[in-house]
Amino acid sequence: MSTKSDWHTRAAKEVKGRDLTWQTPEGIAVQPLYTAADAPAEPAMPGFEPFTRGPYASMYTGRPWTIRQYAGFSTAEESNAFYRRNLAGGQKGLSVAFDLATHRGYDSDHPRVVGDVGKAGVAIDTVRDMEILFDQIPLGEMSVSMTMNGAVIPVMAFYIVAAERAGVSQDQLSGTIQNDILKEFMVRNTYIYPPEPSMRIVSDIIAYTSAHMPKFNSISISGYHMHEAGATAVQELAFTIADGKEYARRAIATGLDIDAFAPRLSFFWGIGMNFFMEIAKMRAARTLWHEVMTELGAQNPKSKMLRTHCQTSGVSLQEQDPYNNVVRTTLEALSAVLGGTQSLHTNALDEAIALPTDFSARIARNTQLILQEETGITNVADPLGGSYYIEALTAEIADKARDLLAEVEAAGGMTRYVASGAPKAAIESAAAAKQASVDRGETVIVGVNKYRLSEEAAIDTLDIDNHAVRASQVARLEAVRAGRDEAACRAALDALREGARNAPAPSGEGVGGGGPRNAADPRSPLPTLPPEGERANLLALAIEAARHDATLGEISAAMEDVFGRYDTVPTPVKGVYAAAYAGDARFAQVVEGVHAVARRLGHAPRILVAKMGQDGHDRGANVIASAFADMGFAVLSGPLFQTPEETARMALDNEVDAVGASSLAAGHKTLIPELIGHLRDAGRADIKVVAGGVIPAQDYDFLQKAGVQGIYGPGTNVVEAAADLLRLLGHNMPPAGEELEAAE
């Protein structure tokens, strides 16, 4: 009679004898069966160093993770009402989403943000806005997380002063400010200042909160936006840990003791659909952070303990068959929980195309409540610990991340590595490769490239009246300015401006905007700031300005006068699509179609890929630019943050045949019609304008009446989008599956 051990050995040999390994995008070969021989030594228990199995011994058996829904839209009044409804429904902490004008340091009355105010978050211009945002919410008791990086100084100042005016002292405030600027230069792009002064801001906030706000986390080191930009799990893990190491080094360089600030550092991971990989990523992250902090000299175990917030993926959400998104979010949430998160946001089913409605937000919140209350998974700490597969995968992803971390160190640290453009290029290559895999059907997305519905059902989405919100914000701005002591406000802003000057200019980097003037030697030492006690703290100075009702734009501008405003032009990767589609008949059809149009026009068809407004999420724009270039289009990538007038001028100056406007922040109904108007006014209505990105189906008719000739929403096959553009340019492109000769 065979023993269980004999059976297991025989089964393992039988399965392993077949070539069923799966190569993940991270380059990890996943076996079809794992045994004890594949797993490393059993890790320490939860709550014990290196904390692989969790930062706390009891984990959720003592208290479940915090349900923290990320939300903010329209005015402070509307967001406040939404928060209070959610808190009444079981949410335990607030997570504030700010609009793009706020992120980029502009007041709502600035001419560059006409289409952005209140659209992808809440507009905050003054302390008064912040007071309204948290009205009837006890800031001394409620944990508040704020996703802010570029305008982090005025937002933190407003939060602190709003609490003061409500009778809550700084030492009572608890929560987290993201304050993670390095990842902005890699993926999200809501920066304001160049890297070096931005890093000074990070260290000043760490220093101030360490001294005055013992319950507040001074930084949330974010891999989420790398994940959303297309990074592999290894890239997200390694680059995020490297960012954290750099921030710690900078704080130490100002004279801070590592154990005085490190226990208040936290992390933020994106959670995608590779269920076990995401669990392993979080476990590996805790191991690697323990190694990094030990290397930097931390003695307190709490300094070496990685604590994290997680958010389910936005890019995994699909416009097609959207109720499938409930299932996706549930599985991602379960992955985050089994990975040991301390708080969690679950995305709503409609967030592929719009901000969530109350209906969809309730489902998203209840997803977490059901996991906590109905599944029993909170009764055991790290229930997957010891799994052969999980332990092997944790070790593999950690090893690959260590290789990337070594590459960062060889480049001179993460600030220099980011300045080199290497991490951004690596993430963009991964994103393009993933999109090509989806387009070819190698990566299955249910309801998108397989099991597609013959007809999509409409769902209700939230629409924000941008013009009404902006008018409301401008009126309050004018009232605040009229009611303040102008002389005192100006004096406080002057002091902030002078405080910004109190630091040496970094070698090799311009501060007048436009980014680095020349590439610095990565081996040269980083500029050393004076110790914290010998220079003004920017947050302290901004708090004083906020007490005198300086606006967010004024506080940001005072620092910009000294630091300059950073700017870059996208440089999409090349060759990824062409390699992925080698030998593909449909790709070859499109390439021949491009050649045919080029023969007729006398030049390769020229397309400007434009990003208008203050949205810096450029994954979609870069994927399109990369793919279209590989198909033979002459692609011009416009700089980020253009106005419609600037985009029109660039299109005219470069004599393009088409403009592809990428929209992810709901400004399309304002910005794209304005672009078309500028082209028509210039006598170039013949230039085709197409749009892609997060655009609800109910907006299609509006845009088409405004002159948009092609609309490509989430899930669009990039090769078919190129085929459609060729038709707009006059080429008789055959439908997919038909021979090219049939169209000639």
Side-chain angles (χ1 to χ4, degrees), residues 230-415:
T232 67
V234 168
Q235 290 169 339
E236 180 190 358
L237 173 56
F239 295 154
T240 306
I241 294 293
D243 282 350
K245 185 175 184 178
E246 187 83 339
Y247 295 135
R249 279 175 166 166
R250 293 305 182 101
I252 292 167
T254 68
L256 285 174
D257 173 39
I258 188 170
D259 287 318
F261 67 84
R264 304 311 305 171
L265 304 182
S266 67
F267 285 76
F268 175 24
W269 304 110
I271 304 296
M273 285 298 290
N274 188 344
F275 187 81
F276 292 107
M277 182 68 76
E278 297 297 345
I279 296 168
K281 178 183 74 181
M282 294 173 66
R283 299 171 96 255
R286 290 191 288 268
T287 303
L288 293 176
W289 186 241
H290 184 273
E291 293 172 3
V292 164
M293 296 307 283
T294 301
E295 175 192 334
L296 293 179
Q299 301 297 316
N300 185 350
K302 291 184 177 179
S303 298
K304 308 176 188 182
M305 180 190 295
L306 185 150
R307 295 160 301 107
T308 190
H309 171 71
C310 288
Q311 181 172 341
T312 61
S313 175
V315 296
S316 71
L317 302 177
Q318 302 299 326
E319 178 182 22
Q320 296 80 8
D321 206 358
Y323 289 102
N324 290 340
N325 294 332
V326 177
V327 181
R328 294 185 178 105
T329 294
T330 301
L331 290 171
E332 290 169 349
L334 181 58
S335 186
V337 169
L338 293 174
T341 191
Q342 278 59 72
S343 64
L344 178 62
H345 165 86
T346 34
N347 287 328
L349 67 95
D350 48 1
E351 288 189 71
I353 50 177
L355 291 168
T357 62
D358 277 6
F359 170 77
S360 64
R362 180 172 60 86
I363 294 173
R365 183 180 64 252
N366 286 353
T367 298
Q368 296 198 51
L369 290 173
I370 291 167
L371 287 175
Q372 287 188 356
E373 302 289 351
E374 298 187 24
T375 64
I377 59 175
T378 61
N379 296 327
V380 178
D382 189 31
L384 292 183
S387 156
Y388 301 144
Y389 179 34
I390 285 293
E391 300 301 350
L393 199 54
T394 299
E396 286 229 42
I397 193 174
D399 283 344
K400 287 190 174 294
R402 288 186 186 100
D403 291 341
L404 258 185
L405 285 165
E407 187 177 308
V408 172
E409 286 297 292
M414 200 58 181
T415 302

Side-chain angles (χ1 to χ4, degrees), residues 116 217 257 260 264 280 366 434 453 464 517 525 529 577 614 667 678 718:
D116 295 301
N217 297 324
D257 173 39
R264 304 311 305 171
N366 286 353
K434 182 174 182 178
L453 292 176
I464 303 298
R517 291 178 183 162
L529 294 174
Y577 259 77
Q614 298 303 306
H678 286 304
V718 174

